[in-house]
């Protein structure tokens, strides 16, 4: 056992194992030290499976109750203390997930009315796809210079001044081209 303490990286694992073995004998202070040393890692395991922090903390508490009651069943020949405790936390989290999935399956159909769904309905999605296709068709019908100016102004957010500088045209001409292009777009979209 002293050889394993020679490797500094195995010292925390060996300390957890020693604390667990002392906890198996009913040593509360060893169990408290074990909790302080490994609760963060076990909470991370719970959070990976259960993203709700409050619920994951409940599972962590259940895990430590199980660790306290089963500490005498720990066998250092089969696994490290940390591996053994992670397995307990993981199994408790999976049990919680299964329990909540079962409860959800039994939920009333009326629960759907209480859930907010900001996603567009299938009809709204189809309409927006149709509108997007119509806009694309109408944009393609514009003269190339007007189409490019409108896309750059409205989709890239460039100002009239920036567009005039880029095209080397007077700002009045750029405004006029965009205005005429928008009028053509409106007429096309209203058909």
């Amino acid at each position: 056992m002293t050889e394993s303490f020679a490797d500094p990286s195995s010292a925390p694992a060996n300390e957890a194992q020693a604390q667990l073995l002392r906890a198996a004998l009913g040593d509360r202070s060893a169990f408290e030290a074990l909790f302080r040393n490994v609760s963060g890692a076990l909470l991370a395991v719970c959070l990976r499976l259960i993203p709700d922090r409050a619920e994951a903390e409940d599972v962590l508490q259940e895990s430590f109750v199980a660790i306290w009651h089963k500490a005498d069943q720990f066998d250092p020949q089969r696994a490290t203390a940390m591996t053994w405790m992670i397995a307990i936390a993981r199994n408790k989290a999976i049990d919680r997930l299964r329990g909540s999935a079962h409860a959800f399956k039994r939920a009333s159909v009326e629960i759907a009315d209480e859930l907010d769904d900001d996603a567009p309905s299938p009809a709204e999605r189809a309409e927006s796809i149709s509108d997007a296709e119509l806009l694309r068709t109408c944009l393609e019908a514009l003269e190339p210079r007007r189409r490019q100016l409108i896309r750059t102004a409205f989709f890239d957010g460039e100002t009239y001044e920036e567009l005039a500088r880029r095209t080397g045209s007077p700002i009045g001409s750029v405004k006029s081209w965009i205005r005429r292009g928008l009028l053509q777009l409106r007429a096309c979209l209203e058909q």
Side-chain angles (χ1 to χ4, degrees):
M1 185 125 176
T2 55
E3 287 180 13
S4 62
F5 279 106
D7 178 12
S9 66
S10 67
N14 288 333
E15 180 60 28
Q17 185 166 323
Q19 290 166 343
L20 182 60
L21 292 172
R22 287 195 308 272
L25 299 172
D27 184 343
R28 288 185 182 270
S29 63
F31 186 72
E32 287 175 28
L34 179 69
F35 179 84
R36 281 192 305 277
N37 289 337
V38 301
S39 61
L42 295 183
L43 179 59
V45 169
C46 295
L47 283 169
R48 194 168 298 136
L49 293 167
I50 302 173
D52 179 73
R53 186 171 181 93
E55 194 169 353
E57 288 174 353
D58 286 346
V59 170
L60 178 68
Q61 182 179 356
E62 291 173 16
S63 300
F64 272 103
V65 169
I67 290 168
W68 173 255
H69 289 295
K70 296 179 179 183
D72 61 336
Q73 297 173 15
F74 169 65
D75 182 0
Q77 301 299 320
R78 296 183 67 202
T80 66
M82 195 64 192
T83 302
W84 184 76
M85 290 183 288
I86 286 172
I88 289 175
R90 183 179 177 280
N91 289 339
K92 290 287 181 189
I94 290 170
D95 288 347
R96 176 67 62 99
L97 286 173
R98 286 181 182 150
S100 63
H102 181 67
F104 186 71
K105 286 179 186 173
R106 294 180 305 171
S108 170
V109 173
E110 286 80 31
I111 196 169
D113 294 334
E114 298 171 16
L115 299 175
D116 288 336
D117 186 9
D118 296 332
S121 70
E124 291 170 332
R125 274 191 303 234
E127 187 175 322
S128 70
I129 289 170
S130 175
D131 289 346
E133 288 175 11
L134 178 60
L135 178 60
R136 190 173 16 260
T137 302
C138 289
L139 272 172
E140 290 302 318
L142 294 176
E143 182 227 329
R145 178 175 41 189
R146 288 182 185 165
R147 178 177 53 239
Q148 187 59 39
L149 286 171
I150 289 173
R151 281 188 174 154
T152 307
F154 292 96
F155 298 130
D156 296 342
E158 291 206 17
T159 64
Y160 291 127
E161 292 82 12
E162 292 169 334
L163 290 170
R165 201 172 23 255
R166 272 177 72 180
T167 61
S169 303
I171 194 168
S173 297
V174 169
K175 287 181 178 180
S176 177
W177 292 329
I178 290 176
R179 188 171 71 61
R180 284 188 205 127
L182 290 174
L183 289 173
Q184 285 178 312
L185 265 179
R186 184 187 323 164
C188 179
L189 291 171
E190 290 176 351
Q191 291 178 356

